[in-house]
Amino acid sequence: MKRIPIFILTLILCTVFTDSSAFALSKIGSRGQEVTNIQTRLKSWGYYSGSVDGIYGSQTASAVKSFQQKNGLTADGVAGPATLAKIGLPTGQSSSSTTSSNDVTLLAMVINGEAHGESYEGQVAVGAVVLNRVRHSSFPNSIAGVIYQPGAFTAVDDGQINKAIEQSCFNAAKDALNGWDPTGGAIYYYNPSTATNSWIRSRTIVKTIGKHVFCK
């Protein structure tokens, strides 16, 4: 039986017994652009109030923990792959124009939470509103940013966004991303039977699909 050279054995052991940083992409002590991206998004959503300095300190960890608690994740204050995916930074990079599988999942999640029980067209319509907001100057310029903007979607506030996703919602997300917009450019919608906000009722109605009224 051949002996494994000591330098190869050392390399294998280092790979196998690496610390948690191989799996926890950002945590207390981390620095750099990924941390800046995390801080920027959490600050825009109201979770983080500190400086966007690219330094993962206790305040950043606390903000991450609050985000995790709100979104059905293990609240450990560590921005690992699952947390970064929910934030919309699956690789730790800034948003790009390329649609990722994470974008599809996030869009499907909000469709599932907001339009569960609606017709397929109604589900695509909710996805289209999210995408119309991404393109609109008054809203964040990413899918994650729009979805997690404070107070934007009831499903985020009440946790319905974290329910098991129905396949139709995945399909609706893909159709919306491929350009189907049943709403004709709407950036708002509401259920007239339950909406109590007078401002939303003042918006110009574009179309009614199922229980939702879509407006600009």
Side-chain angles (χ1 to χ4, degrees):
M1 178 177 168
K2 288 186 177 181
R3 291 185 176 180
I4 301 174
I6 188 65
F7 75 92
I8 294 179
L9 182 59
T10 301
L11 180 60
I12 292 172
L13 291 173
C14 286
T15 301
V16 172
F17 295 104
T18 187
D19 65 20
S20 61
S21 63
F23 304 98
L25 300 186
S26 284
K27 59 183 181 179
I28 288 181
S30 298
R31 293 170 178 255
Q33 186 59 49
E34 179 171 283
V35 179
T36 297
N37 294 338
I38 293 167
Q39 291 172 331
T40 298
R41 293 201 172 191
L42 294 185
K43 188 163 189 171
S44 71
W45 300 333
Y47 291 96
Y48 179 66
S49 58
S51 300
V52 178
D53 55 10
I55 301 172
Y56 204 113
S58 59
Q59 197 169 0
T60 302
S62 179
V64 169
K65 187 176 292 185
S66 295
F67 178 84
Q68 291 168 328
Q69 289 172 337
K70 182 70 174 179
N71 292 283
L73 298 163
T74 300
D76 56 8
V78 175
T83 297
L84 287 174
K86 282 267 186 154
I87 292 174
L89 297 169
T91 63
Q93 301 301 314
S94 300
S95 299
S96 70
S97 58
T98 303
T99 301
S100 69
S101 60
N102 185 62
D103 286 330
V104 177
T105 300
L106 278 174
L107 194 57
M109 286 171 66
V110 78
I111 291 171
N112 192 68
E114 292 278 316
H116 177 76
E118 290 291 304
S119 67
Y120 185 70
E121 181 184 15
Q123 292 179 345
V124 176
V126 167
V129 167
V130 173
L131 298 177
N132 289 340
R133 289 187 182 186
V134 172
R135 293 186 284 266
H136 197 283
S137 60
S138 297
F139 296 91
N141 63 355
S142 69
I143 289 174
V146 166
I147 290 173
Y148 290 119
Q149 188 175 28
F153 294 97
T154 303
V156 175
D157 292 338
D158 65 13
Q160 292 297 303
I161 193 171
N162 298 311
K163 295 191 307 181
I165 309 172
E166 294 186 355
Q167 184 59 47
S168 65
C169 295
F170 274 112
N171 297 340
K174 292 174 183 177
D175 274 339
L177 286 163
N178 286 333
W180 182 16
D181 181 3
T183 76
I187 54 175
Y188 302 103
Y189 64 89
Y190 63 92
N191 184 334
S193 299
T194 58
T196 58
N197 186 297
S198 58
W199 179 86
I200 193 67
R201 289 179 176 274
S202 71
R203 309 304 298 179
T204 301
I205 296 174
V206 178
K207 192 171 184 180
T208 298
I209 305 174
K211 296 179 180 179
H212 288 141
V213 170
F214 294 84
C215 46
K216 292 185 178 180

Coordinates of all heavy atoms in Angstrom, one line a residue, residues 74-132:
T74 N -32.7 30.1 10.6 CA -32.1 29.9 11.9 C -31.4 31.2 12.3 O -30.6 31.8 11.6 CB -31.0 28.8 11.8 OG1 -31.6 27.6 11.4 CG2 -30.3 28.7 13.1
A75 N -31.9 31.8 13.4 CA -31.4 33.1 13.8 C -30.1 33.1 14.6 O -30.0 33.1 15.8 CB -32.5 33.8 14.7
D76 N -29.0 32.9 13.8 CA -27.7 32.8 14.4 C -26.8 34.0 14.1 O -25.7 34.1 14.6 CB -27.0 31.6 14.0 CG -26.9 31.5 12.4 OD1 -27.2 32.4 11.7 OD2 -26.4 30.4 11.9
G77 N -27.3 35.0 13.4 CA -26.6 36.2 13.1 C -25.5 36.0 12.1 O -24.7 36.9 11.8
V78 N -25.4 34.8 11.4 CA -24.4 34.5 10.4 C -25.0 34.5 9.0 O -26.0 33.9 8.8 CB -23.8 33.1 10.7 CG1 -22.8 32.8 9.6 CG2 -23.1 33.1 12.1
A79 N -24.4 35.2 8.1 CA -25.0 35.3 6.8 C -24.4 34.2 5.9 O -23.5 34.4 5.1 CB -24.7 36.6 6.1
G80 N -24.9 33.0 6.1 CA -24.6 31.8 5.3 C -25.4 31.8 4.0 O -26.1 32.7 3.7
P81 N -25.2 30.7 3.3 CA -25.9 30.6 2.0 C -27.4 30.8 2.0 O -27.9 31.5 1.2 CB -25.5 29.2 1.5 CG -24.2 28.9 2.2 CD -24.3 29.5 3.5
A82 N -28.1 30.2 3.0 CA -29.5 30.3 3.0 C -30.0 31.8 3.3 O -30.9 32.3 2.7 CB -30.1 29.4 4.1
T83 N -29.2 32.4 4.2 CA -29.6 33.8 4.5 C -29.3 34.7 3.4 O -30.1 35.6 3.0 CB -28.8 34.3 5.8 OG1 -29.2 33.5 6.9 CG2 -29.1 35.7 6.1
L84 N -28.1 34.5 2.7 CA -27.8 35.4 1.6 C -28.8 35.2 0.4 O -29.1 36.1 -0.3 CB -26.4 35.0 1.1 CG -25.2 35.5 2.0 CD1 -23.9 35.0 1.5 CD2 -25.2 37.0 2.0
A85 N -29.3 33.9 0.3 CA -30.3 33.7 -0.8 C -31.5 34.5 -0.5 O -32.1 35.0 -1.4 CB -30.6 32.2 -0.9
K86 N -32.0 34.5 0.8 CA -33.2 35.2 1.1 C -33.0 36.7 1.0 O -33.9 37.5 0.6 CB -33.6 35.0 2.6 CG -34.3 33.6 2.8 CD -35.8 33.8 2.7 CE -36.5 32.5 3.0 NZ -37.8 32.6 3.6
I87 N -31.8 37.2 1.2 CA -31.5 38.6 1.1 C -31.4 39.0 -0.4 O -31.6 40.1 -0.8 CB -30.2 39.0 1.8 CG1 -30.3 38.9 3.3 CG2 -29.7 40.4 1.5 CD1 -29.1 39.1 4.1
G88 N -31.2 38.0 -1.2 CA -31.0 38.2 -2.7 C -29.6 38.4 -3.1 O -29.3 38.9 -4.2
L89 N -28.7 37.8 -2.3 CA -27.3 37.8 -2.6 C -26.7 36.4 -2.5 O -25.9 36.1 -1.7 CB -26.5 38.7 -1.6 CG -26.9 40.2 -1.7 CD1 -26.2 40.9 -0.5 CD2 -26.4 40.9 -2.9
P90 N -27.2 35.5 -3.4 CA -26.8 34.1 -3.3 C -25.3 33.8 -3.4 O -24.8 32.8 -2.9 CB -27.6 33.4 -4.4 CG -27.9 34.5 -5.4 CD -28.1 35.7 -4.6
T91 N -24.6 34.7 -4.1 CA -23.2 34.5 -4.2 C -22.4 35.6 -3.5 O -21.2 35.7 -3.6 CB -22.8 34.6 -5.7 OG1 -23.1 35.9 -6.3 CG2 -23.5 33.5 -6.5
G92 N -23.2 36.5 -2.8 CA -22.5 37.6 -2.1 C -22.2 38.7 -3.0 O -21.6 39.7 -2.6
Q93 N -22.7 38.7 -4.2 CA -22.4 39.8 -5.2 C -23.6 40.7 -5.3 O -24.7 40.4 -4.8 CB -22.1 39.2 -6.6 CG -20.9 38.2 -6.6 CD -19.7 38.9 -6.1 OE1 -19.3 40.0 -6.5 NE2 -18.9 38.2 -5.2
S94 N -23.3 41.9 -5.8 CA -24.4 42.9 -6.1 C -25.4 42.3 -7.1 O -25.1 41.4 -7.8 CB -23.8 44.2 -6.6 OG -22.9 44.7 -5.7
S95 N -26.6 42.9 -7.1 CA -27.6 42.5 -8.1 C -27.0 42.7 -9.5 O -26.3 43.6 -9.8 CB -28.8 43.3 -7.9 OG -29.4 43.1 -6.7
S96 N -27.4 41.8 -10.4 CA -27.0 42.0 -11.8 C -28.3 41.8 -12.6 O -29.3 41.5 -12.2 CB -26.0 40.9 -12.2 OG -26.6 39.6 -12.2
S97 N -28.1 42.1 -13.9 CA -29.3 42.0 -14.8 C -29.7 40.5 -15.1 O -30.7 40.3 -15.7 CB -29.0 42.7 -16.1 OG -27.8 42.2 -16.7
T98 N -28.8 39.6 -14.8 CA -29.0 38.2 -15.1 C -30.0 37.6 -14.0 O -29.8 37.8 -12.8 CB -27.7 37.4 -15.1 OG1 -26.8 38.0 -16.0 CG2 -28.0 35.9 -15.4
T99 N -31.0 37.0 -14.5 CA -32.0 36.4 -13.6 C -31.4 35.1 -13.0 O -31.1 34.2 -13.7 CB -33.3 36.1 -14.3 OG1 -33.8 37.3 -14.8 CG2 -34.3 35.5 -13.4
S100 N -31.3 35.0 -11.7 CA -30.8 33.8 -11.0 C -32.0 33.0 -10.6 O -33.1 33.4 -10.5 CB -30.0 34.3 -9.8 OG -30.8 34.8 -8.8
S101 N -31.6 31.7 -10.2 CA -32.6 30.8 -9.7 C -33.2 31.4 -8.4 O -34.4 31.1 -8.1 CB -32.0 29.4 -9.5 OG -31.0 29.5 -8.6
N102 N -32.4 32.1 -7.7 CA -32.8 32.7 -6.5 C -33.9 33.8 -6.7 O -34.9 33.9 -5.9 CB -31.7 33.3 -5.7 CG -32.1 33.9 -4.4 OD1 -32.5 33.1 -3.5 ND2 -32.0 35.2 -4.1
D103 N -33.8 34.5 -7.8 CA -34.8 35.5 -8.2 C -36.1 34.8 -8.4 O -37.2 35.3 -8.0 CB -34.4 36.3 -9.4 CG -33.3 37.3 -9.1 OD1 -33.2 37.8 -8.0 OD2 -32.5 37.6 -10.0
V104 N -36.1 33.7 -9.1 CA -37.3 32.9 -9.4 C -37.9 32.5 -8.1 O -39.1 32.6 -7.9 CB -37.0 31.7 -10.3 CG1 -38.2 30.9 -10.6 CG2 -36.4 32.2 -11.7
T105 N -37.1 31.9 -7.2 CA -37.6 31.4 -6.0 C -38.2 32.6 -5.1 O -39.3 32.4 -4.6 CB -36.5 30.7 -5.2 OG1 -36.0 29.6 -5.9 CG2 -37.1 30.2 -3.8
L106 N -37.6 33.7 -5.0 CA -38.1 34.8 -4.2 C -39.4 35.3 -4.8 O -40.4 35.6 -4.1 CB -37.1 36.0 -4.2 CG -36.0 35.9 -3.2 CD1 -35.0 37.0 -3.4 CD2 -36.5 35.9 -1.8
L107 N -39.5 35.4 -6.1 CA -40.7 35.9 -6.8 C -41.8 34.9 -6.6 O -42.9 35.2 -6.3 CB -40.4 36.1 -8.3 CG -41.5 36.9 -9.1 CD1 -41.7 38.2 -8.4 CD2 -41.1 37.0 -10.5
A108 N -41.5 33.6 -6.7 CA -42.5 32.5 -6.4 C -43.0 32.6 -5.0 O -44.1 32.3 -4.7 CB -41.9 31.2 -6.7
M109 N -42.1 32.9 -4.1 CA -42.5 33.0 -2.6 C -43.5 34.1 -2.4 O -44.5 33.8 -1.7 CB -41.2 33.2 -1.8 CG -40.3 32.0 -1.6 SD -38.7 32.4 -0.8 CE -39.3 32.9 0.8
V110 N -43.2 35.2 -3.0 CA -44.2 36.3 -2.7 C -45.5 36.1 -3.5 O -46.6 36.4 -3.0 CB -43.6 37.7 -3.1 CG1 -43.5 38.0 -4.6 CG2 -44.3 38.8 -2.3
I111 N -45.4 35.5 -4.6 CA -46.7 35.1 -5.4 C -47.5 34.2 -4.5 O -48.7 34.3 -4.4 CB -46.3 34.6 -6.8 CG1 -45.7 35.6 -7.7 CG2 -47.6 33.9 -7.4 CD1 -45.2 35.1 -9.0
N112 N -46.8 33.2 -4.0 CA -47.4 32.1 -3.2 C -48.1 32.7 -2.0 O -49.2 32.4 -1.6 CB -46.4 31.1 -2.8 CG -47.0 29.8 -2.2 OD1 -47.7 29.1 -2.9 ND2 -46.8 29.6 -0.9
G113 N -47.4 33.7 -1.3 CA -48.0 34.3 -0.1 C -49.1 35.3 -0.4 O -50.0 35.4 0.4
E114 N -49.0 36.0 -1.5 CA -49.9 37.1 -1.8 C -51.1 36.6 -2.7 O -52.2 37.2 -2.6 CB -49.2 38.2 -2.6 CG -48.2 39.0 -1.7 CD -48.8 40.0 -0.9 OE1 -49.7 40.7 -1.4 OE2 -48.5 40.1 0.3
A115 N -50.9 35.6 -3.5 CA -51.9 35.2 -4.5 C -52.3 33.7 -4.4 O -52.8 33.2 -5.4 CB -51.5 35.5 -5.9
H116 N -52.1 33.2 -3.2 CA -52.5 31.8 -3.0 C -54.0 31.7 -3.2 O -54.8 32.4 -2.7 CB -52.2 31.3 -1.6 CG -52.6 29.9 -1.3 ND1 -52.0 28.8 -1.7 CD2 -53.7 29.5 -0.5 CE1 -52.6 27.7 -1.3 NE2 -53.6 28.1 -0.5
G117 N -54.5 30.7 -4.1 CA -55.9 30.6 -4.3 C -56.4 31.4 -5.5 O -57.5 31.2 -5.9
E118 N -55.6 32.3 -6.0 CA -56.0 33.1 -7.2 C -55.8 32.3 -8.4 O -55.1 31.2 -8.5 CB -55.1 34.4 -7.3 CG -55.4 35.4 -6.2 CD -56.8 36.0 -6.3 OE1 -57.1 36.6 -7.4 OE2 -57.6 35.9 -5.4
S119 N -56.4 32.7 -9.5 CA -56.2 32.1 -10.8 C -54.7 32.2 -11.2 O -54.0 33.0 -10.7 CB -57.0 32.8 -11.9 OG -56.6 34.1 -12.1
Y120 N -54.3 31.4 -12.2 CA -53.0 31.4 -12.7 C -52.6 32.8 -13.2 O -51.5 33.4 -12.9 CB -52.7 30.4 -13.8 CG -51.3 30.3 -14.2 CD1 -50.3 29.8 -13.3 CD2 -50.8 30.8 -15.4 CE1 -49.0 29.8 -13.7 CE2 -49.5 30.7 -15.8 CZ -48.6 30.2 -14.9 OH -47.2 30.2 -15.3
E121 N -53.5 33.5 -13.9 CA -53.3 34.8 -14.4 C -53.1 35.8 -13.3 O -52.3 36.7 -13.3 CB -54.5 35.3 -15.3 CG -54.3 36.7 -15.9 CD -55.5 37.2 -16.6 OE1 -56.6 36.6 -16.5 OE2 -55.3 38.2 -17.4
G122 N -53.9 35.6 -12.2 CA -53.8 36.4 -11.0 C -52.4 36.3 -10.3 O -51.9 37.2 -9.8
Q123 N -51.9 35.1 -10.4 CA -50.6 34.8 -9.8 C -49.5 35.5 -10.6 O -48.6 36.1 -10.0 CB -50.3 33.3 -9.7 CG -51.2 32.6 -8.6 CD -51.0 31.1 -8.5 OE1 -50.4 30.5 -9.4 NE2 -51.6 30.5 -7.5
V124 N -49.6 35.3 -11.9 CA -48.6 36.0 -12.8 C -48.7 37.5 -12.6 O -47.6 38.2 -12.6 CB -48.8 35.6 -14.3 CG1 -47.8 36.4 -15.2 CG2 -48.7 34.1 -14.5
A125 N -49.9 38.0 -12.4 CA -50.1 39.5 -12.3 C -49.3 40.0 -11.0 O -48.7 41.1 -11.1 CB -51.5 39.8 -12.2
V126 N -49.4 39.3 -9.9 CA -48.6 39.7 -8.7 C -47.1 39.7 -9.0 O -46.4 40.7 -8.6 CB -49.0 38.8 -7.5 CG1 -48.0 39.0 -6.4 CG2 -50.4 39.0 -7.1
G127 N -46.6 38.7 -9.7 CA -45.2 38.7 -10.1 C -44.9 39.8 -11.0 O -43.8 40.5 -10.8
A128 N -45.8 40.2 -11.9 CA -45.5 41.3 -12.8 C -45.4 42.6 -12.1 O -44.6 43.5 -12.4 CB -46.6 41.4 -13.8
V129 N -46.3 42.8 -11.0 CA -46.2 44.0 -10.2 C -44.8 44.2 -9.6 O -44.2 45.3 -9.5 CB -47.3 44.0 -9.2 CG1 -47.1 45.1 -8.1 CG2 -48.7 44.2 -9.8
V130 N -44.3 43.1 -9.0 CA -43.0 43.1 -8.4 C -41.9 43.6 -9.4 O -41.1 44.5 -9.2 CB -42.6 41.7 -7.8 CG1 -41.1 41.7 -7.4 CG2 -43.5 41.3 -6.7
L131 N -42.0 43.0 -10.6 CA -41.0 43.3 -11.7 C -41.2 44.7 -12.2 O -40.2 45.4 -12.5 CB -41.1 42.3 -12.8 CG -40.8 40.9 -12.4 CD1 -41.0 39.9 -13.6 CD2 -39.4 40.8 -11.9
N132 N -42.5 45.2 -12.2 CA -42.7 46.6 -12.7 C -42.1 47.6 -11.6 O -41.6 48.6 -12.0 CB -44.2 46.8 -12.8 CG -44.8 46.1 -14.0 OD1 -44.1 45.8 -14.9 ND2 -46.1 45.9 -14.0

